[in-house]
Amino acid sequence: TWVSVGSSTNFSLSNQPDGAHIIYVRATDVPGNIGNASNVSIYVDKTLPNTPIIKEWHSGINWTQHDTPYLSWTDPGDQGSGITRFAISVDSGAESDLGYVLNYHSAQLSTGSHSFKIKSYDASNQSSNWSNTIIVYIDTSLPAVPASLTSPTHSNSNKWYKENNVLFNWSSPSDDSGIYGYYYSIDRVNDTMPDSVSLWTTNTSINISEVIAPQITANGSAEKNLSGLVDGLWYFHIVSRDNTGNVGTNTSHYAIRIDTKAPSVTNLTPADNASNQNKTPLIRVDYIDGGSGVNVSSVKLILDGTIVNATANETALTYTPTLNLSNGIHTAIVNVTDNSTNYNTTTWKFTVGNA
């Protein structure tokens, strides 16, 4: 339908529907002669483009070490002018233009949760709504050491104990993906770092009640207890592993000192059942403790039922009677206790003069 606009050389159209439109213009002179028509095409697009739907292919929906997520989508289509570009927002930040691409491979991300969403733009620079939000959970950080490592059975690392079954407790450290478990070892070395071939537990306590292989004692010999650790200085080592497989490089160490054996008594003087003409003989006892050491204050010599004032140090006791001993058999008893309260009582007899 032709519409007269008089002698005006411009006109306005309103509320045109979406789509392509052709507008024709022709001139009519005063006598009524009609000229040839010229035309122009216009394209109307007032409808927002469709919203894209995105998927993530590398990092998944759980915590992961894969810190470069890969997103893809399809062209969602547009009723009018067509999709010309896409924009992305990472972690709810400002949008960034991607051009016309159908995928996005992220640069390396820091540990934590990260979100992605996409919108499309048409040729009229109208944008769609934001797409679905993809959230990935990245954890490339090493977990901290187990917290508050203690032993209720061996609470003082500097103290010797005769209890050889050892209980350890600790707390899980905080970690972005959470702690999955712990690698641990127990040996004679003070700075061992457990790794993926070490012993494993998911608990936060452990009872070292047995070690299957023969254990090496302090003097280098092999020994195996039916239960617990053999005597000596031990070290417990533990590291954390998180839910993405990161293993900590900081290790908690705990020293355990075990001494289940009483001191050994040797070199009795006078010897057991020996005869001696000296009525004030030197009485000497040697002793040794391979673990916690002799508690010198505990060393006692009892001669014929009476505690005597003997001289004792960490390795020997000596006593010389101040009065002559009577002829006959005399009984000596020595009590030696170590610093783990293991004790040895040794009794022997010797004869003075003619019995």
Side-chain angles (χ1 to χ4, degrees), residues 265 268 285 287 299-302 317 332-336 344-348:
V265 172
L268 300 174
V285 177
Y287 38 77
V299 179
K300 298 290 187 295
L301 177 64
I302 303 171
L317 171 147
I333 302 172
V334 64
N335 293 326
V336 184
N344 181 324
T345 297
T346 298
T347 301
W348 79 104

Side-chain angles (χ1 to χ4, degrees), residues 214-231:
Q215 303 167 48
I216 303 303
T217 62
N219 63 14
S221 61
E223 182 177 341
K224 187 174 186 295
N225 278 355
L226 294 177
S227 177
L229 297 172
V230 300
D231 286 12

Side-chain angles (χ1 to χ4, degrees), residues 6-272:
S7 61
S8 176
T9 58
N10 62 75
F11 65 95
S12 297
L13 294 172
S14 62
N15 200 28
Q16 296 301 305
D18 285 9
H21 303 275
I22 302 176
I23 299 173
Y24 295 89
V25 177
R26 67 186 179 184
T28 303
D29 61 15
V30 174
N33 299 305
I34 299 174
N36 294 326
S38 64
N39 65 79
V40 64
S41 295
I42 62 172
Y43 303 90
V44 177
D45 182 0
K46 298 179 292 183
T47 303
L48 299 182
N50 294 325
T51 301
I53 298 174
I54 58 175
K55 294 182 179 180
E56 199 288 318
W57 301 95
H58 286 179
S59 298
I61 61 174
N62 298 314
W63 284 95
T64 180
Q65 294 178 343
H66 196 118
D67 57 359
T68 57
Y70 182 83
L71 310 173
S72 69
W73 56 93
T74 58
D75 188 323
D78 180 67
Q79 182 175 319
S81 56
I83 302 299
T84 59
R85 64 188 179 93
F86 296 90
I88 188 170
S89 172
V90 179
D91 293 335
S92 299
E95 65 179 74
S96 176
D97 183 63
L98 296 175
Y100 188 84
V101 294
L102 298 177
N103 58 71
Y104 175 79
H105 199 174
S106 169
Q108 285 184 313
L109 299 173
S110 60
T111 292
S113 61
H114 299 275
S115 63
F116 300 86
K117 55 187 178 180
I118 300 290
K119 63 168 58 172
S120 57
Y121 280 85
D122 63 17
S124 297
N125 206 36
Q126 299 176 110
S127 68
S128 70
N129 294 321
W130 285 108
S131 69
N132 57 306
T133 298
I134 294 291
I135 299 177
V136 296
Y137 302 90
I138 309 298
D139 186 0
T140 57
S141 300
L142 300 181
V145 297
S148 306
L149 176 61
T150 59
S151 173
T153 55
H154 298 69
S155 58
N156 186 343
S157 287
N158 295 314
K159 181 181 176 181
W160 289 84
Y161 294 85
K162 62 181 179 180
E163 171 59 52
N164 65 348
N165 292 309
V166 188
L167 178 65
F168 292 102
N169 294 328
W170 60 89
S171 301
S172 293
S174 61
D175 185 83
D176 288 277
S177 62
I179 298 299
Y180 181 64
Y182 309 89
Y183 293 110
Y184 70 94
S185 61
I186 184 163
D187 57 27
R188 300 286 190 179
V189 183
N190 67 352
D191 59 355
T192 297
M193 181 182 295
D195 55 27
S196 59
V197 298
S198 301
L199 298 170
W200 169 258
T201 183
T202 57
N203 298 320
T204 54
S205 65
I206 191 167
N207 187 358
I208 307 295
S209 60
E210 65 175 338
V211 175
I212 302 301
Q215 303 167 48
I216 303 303
T217 62
N219 63 14
S221 61
E223 182 177 341
K224 187 174 186 295
N225 278 355
L226 294 177
S227 177
L229 297 172
V230 300
D231 286 12
L233 175 59
W234 293 89
Y235 294 93
F236 178 75
H237 320 276
I238 187 168
V239 296
S240 306
R241 178 190 184 277
D242 66 21
N243 282 304
T244 64
N246 299 304
V247 177
T249 55
N250 291 325
T251 308
S252 285
H253 307 282
Y254 197 100
I256 314 108
R257 303 169 194 270
I258 306 294
D259 182 4
T260 62
K261 296 178 176 62
S264 299
V265 172
T266 60
N267 299 328
L268 300 174
T269 304
D272 189 24

